[in-house]
Amino acid sequence: MAAPTTGHSLFEDAQSLLVAPLVAAFALLLLKEGGLLTGGTVGIAFLIHYASGWPLGAVLFVINLPFYALAVRAMGRDFTVKTFIAVSLLALYTELLPQWIALQSVDRLFAAVMGGFLAGIAILMLIRHRSSLGGLGILVVHLQNTRGWRAGKVQMAADCLILAAAVFVRDPLSVALSIVGAVALNLVIAVNHKAGRYMGT
């Protein structure tokens, strides 16, 4: 007989909202040091960062702002508040991490794969605490709920467009390695996030 499910406590949610963005920020640091990027809203932030030189964390925070109104409608107030906290901390950590740690050198393939793995782990942590890193993830869920469009396919199409757009700001090798990182990210989520397997909802 399956064990009864129990909701997360406030402390458990708080530690997830503090730790997951830090893990994600380290993933972004690896990708940035490797001159790479990823999909989703973070990928859009990377494109703007590489094209303009604007701070990655600040860009990430700003481009997520329009999605919160949609999040309230699509996912509810609690999800939206948690997501706002997670995204805000990710933006802050992204700017602070280079002051806390200096990477002298990093293999670009390792940066792509490990960056993808860590980003996937961070997203998985937030999913399990009914939160996210915002942006396009909210939009695709909304489109699935209102239009019947498959969220996974819409997200994949959006990620492909973002990575394709990277050819205008990065070299072909960087784009190819970024695709490897995106595959690593989605592999973590696909293997570890399956309905009915996680009991601590």
Side-chain angles (χ1 to χ4, degrees):
M1 187 174 76
T5 61
T6 57
H8 291 113
S9 68
L10 179 61
F11 172 79
E12 290 167 339
D13 281 343
Q15 69 81 32
S16 176
L17 293 176
L18 286 170
V19 174
L22 184 58
V23 174
F26 189 72
L28 299 194
L29 178 64
L30 286 173
L31 295 174
K32 185 178 176 182
E33 289 295 317
L36 311 175
L37 67 154
T38 187
T41 310
V42 174
I44 297 173
F46 263 117
L47 290 176
I48 296 172
H49 166 71
Y50 286 135
S52 67
W54 295 343
L56 179 60
V59 173
L60 182 62
F61 179 81
V62 171
I63 65 174
N64 268 284
L65 292 176
F67 292 98
Y68 294 122
L70 181 60
V72 173
R73 294 169 52 193
M75 306 298 291
R77 185 191 63 183
D78 289 348
F79 174 90
T80 304
V81 171
K82 290 179 184 178
T83 296
F84 177 80
I85 293 171
V87 171
S88 299
L89 286 174
L90 175 59
L92 178 63
Y93 289 151
T94 297
E95 295 306 313
L96 290 177
L97 265 187
Q99 303 176 35
W100 297 339
I101 181 172
L103 300 179
Q104 300 302 318
S105 65
V106 59
D107 180 84
R108 300 183 75 205
L109 178 59
F110 174 81
V113 174
M114 184 55 70
F117 284 161
L118 290 174
I121 290 168
I123 291 170
L124 191 64
M125 288 176 66
L126 292 172
I127 288 172
R128 290 181 171 179
H129 289 264
R130 300 183 188 276
S131 181
S132 77
L133 290 178
L136 292 179
I138 296 170
L139 179 60
V140 298
V141 169
H142 176 70
L143 291 174
Q144 178 172 272
N145 292 341
T146 59
R147 303 286 183 87
W149 298 359
R150 294 286 298 275
K153 292 182 178 180
V154 175
Q155 182 72 59
M156 183 180 296
D159 287 348
C160 287
L161 288 174
I162 292 165
L163 290 168
V167 300
F168 296 105
V169 294
R170 307 305 299 160
D171 61 277
L173 178 58
S174 296
V175 175
L177 289 172
S178 297
I179 293 172
V180 172
V183 170
L185 186 160
N186 284 284
L187 180 63
V188 169
I189 295 175
V191 170
N192 293 281
H193 182 60
K194 295 183 179 179
R197 288 194 177 180
Y198 183 65
M199 307 307 294
T201 58

